[in-house]
Amino acid sequence: CSGCRVAAQKGRIDWGARFGMLRELAQRYKNPGGYDILIPVSGGKDSYYQAHVAVRELGLKPLLVTYDGNNFSPEGERNLRRMRDVFDCDHIVFGPGTDVLIRMNRIGFRLQGDMNWHNHCGIFTYPVQMAVKYRIPLVLWGEHGFMDLGGMHSYDDFVEFSAEHRLK
């Protein structure tokens, strides 16, 4: 399958060179007195790793952003809240009210067959809104699902998460 073909590319990539490219990119966006990068986080292992790389390996000051679709376990909630202290970062969490969540769950189930559709949309939309609001031009996503899972792109494509990309 196309996802498997993309996954097979990982073995031929010079990850040291790729990290050098990331370091160079991150340095261009250093913002004295402000945030250097925005990281959408859920509190899981991928979020912790992203924050670790940004803070401890790249020396960046991130803004952590979460869309809370009201589906965290107590342990997940604790992990999410703990990130702020572990990495000494500011963290913005947005969660719709319960009545709105109920309505969005029903609409998502009726229109998409997925009561959690609002969460899929929120985790991509809310961080971008905060990046625009706080003028943070660099966002560190945990994965590129269309590439990693669906094989839509190659690791050689360097896909930019733009309005055009979202539309496609």
Side-chain angles (χ1 to χ4, degrees), residues 20-55:
M21 292 168 69
L22 176 61
R23 183 180 306 281
E24 183 181 310
L25 179 68
Q27 293 307 310
R28 286 191 301 208
Y29 289 99
K30 284 285 230 176
N31 181 12
Y35 300 111
D36 302 317
I37 195 167
L38 184 141
I39 307 175
V41 297
S42 66
K45 64 186 181 327
D46 294 348
S47 300
Y48 271 80
Y49 185 68
Q50 290 165 246
H52 166 80
V53 168
V55 173

Side-chain angles (χ1 to χ4, degrees), residues 139-154:
V139 178
L140 181 60
W141 296 98
E143 69 179 5
H144 191 294
F146 297 113
M147 179 180 70
D148 293 332
L149 306 175
M152 190 174 183
H153 302 283
S154 162

Side-chain angles (χ1 to χ4, degrees), residues 2-168:
S2 57
C4 295
R5 285 194 299 271
V6 169
Q9 295 175 1
K10 292 179 183 180
R12 66 171 176 76
I13 294 173
D14 180 347
W15 291 106
R18 286 283 172 105
F19 191 78
M21 292 168 69
L22 176 61
R23 183 180 306 281
E24 183 181 310
L25 179 68
Q27 293 307 310
R28 286 191 301 208
Y29 289 99
K30 284 285 230 176
N31 181 12
Y35 300 111
D36 302 317
I37 195 167
L38 184 141
I39 307 175
V41 297
S42 66
K45 64 186 181 327
D46 294 348
S47 300
Y48 271 80
Y49 185 68
Q50 290 165 246
H52 166 80
V53 168
V55 173
R56 306 242 164 86
E57 295 186 28
L58 297 173
L60 300 174
K61 180 180 179 185
L63 174 62
L64 307 178
V65 175
T66 300
Y67 174 82
D68 183 350
N70 196 38
N71 60 356
F72 290 108
S73 66
E75 296 81 7
E77 183 79 30
R78 182 182 64 79
N79 284 342
L80 179 66
R81 303 293 180 207
R82 188 171 172 265
M83 288 187 74
R84 182 182 65 197
D85 297 328
V86 168
F87 297 106
D88 191 27
C89 297
D90 295 339
H91 185 183
I92 296 174
V93 179
F94 172 77
T98 303
D99 289 340
V100 172
L101 281 170
I102 291 169
R103 285 184 276 156
M104 287 192 300
N105 283 342
R106 288 181 180 148
I107 291 168
F109 187 72
R110 191 170 51 250
L111 297 178
Q112 298 289 336
D114 181 357
M115 67 174 266
N116 202 33
W117 185 251
H118 67 88
N119 207 6
H120 305 308
C121 296
I123 62 174
F124 284 109
T125 305
Y126 189 66
V128 172
Q129 290 174 343
M130 292 301 97
V132 170
K133 179 178 181 175
Y134 290 99
R135 295 187 171 125
I136 306 169
L138 192 58
V139 178
L140 181 60
W141 296 98
E143 69 179 5
H144 191 294
F146 297 113
M147 179 180 70
D148 293 332
L149 306 175
M152 190 174 183
H153 302 283
S154 162
Y155 277 95
D156 297 323
D157 290 338
F158 299 100
V159 179
E160 180 180 350
F161 192 68
S162 63
E164 178 184 358
H165 173 73
R166 287 198 59 173
L167 180 62
K168 288 180 180 178

